[in-house]
Amino acid sequence: MVDLERIRAESMAYFRSLDEGATLRHHFRHADEEGGLWYFGAVPDRGELIVIKQAELTPAGRLHRYSWEHLEDHGFLTDQALHPEEDPLEAIPAEEFQRVWTQ
């Protein structure tokens, strides 16, 4: 049987170590088809950009935030690497990401 608590703890530890050890961060925004905005804070790890912070601003103005401290509720921190050259992402300044993250 799968030990979900162990997997959750390992995921939290992985994302926390990336967040706390990051020296280079990338920030992106994505607008979805329903009018929601997604904000991603990502760091390089083993040749990929791994999302360590993610904010969703719904069309109704509700903000959902995910990081190693809060992996999930109605949604969750993505476990997929970002590929800015392939994904419809717009690079944004760190200040814009922080403004959304801290509202």
Side-chain angles (χ1 to χ4, degrees):
M1 184 193 294
V2 176
D3 183 353
L4 296 179
E5 285 302 312
R6 181 185 54 79
I7 292 170
R8 180 177 168 80
E10 288 174 358
S11 293
M12 287 178 73
Y14 171 67
F15 289 117
R16 182 179 186 174
S17 70
L18 289 178
D19 188 19
E20 292 177 348
T23 57
L24 177 62
R25 295 174 187 262
H26 301 270
H27 301 90
F28 301 95
R29 177 178 55 214
H30 168 72
D32 65 26
E33 304 81 37
E34 291 83 37
L37 292 173
W38 294 81
Y39 294 84
F40 302 99
V43 298
D45 184 46
R46 294 175 254 172
E48 295 191 298
L49 277 179
I50 305 299
V51 175
I52 58 168
K53 290 186 176 177
Q54 172 183 315
E56 174 194 6
L57 186 58
T58 69
R62 183 153 183 190
L63 180 65
H64 302 279
R65 290 180 288 243
Y66 303 99
S67 69
W68 66 266
E69 296 175 287
H70 182 78
L71 290 175
E72 61 185 278
D73 50 33
H74 87 284
F76 56 90
L77 180 66
T78 184
D79 60 355
Q80 301 298 306
L82 295 180
H83 301 98
E85 66 284 349
E86 299 169 13
D87 299 331
L89 299 170
E90 175 186 355
I92 60 171
E95 297 78 19
E96 181 178 347
F97 179 86
Q98 278 304 116
R99 179 183 55 77
V100 172
W101 184 259
T102 57
Q103 61 173 310

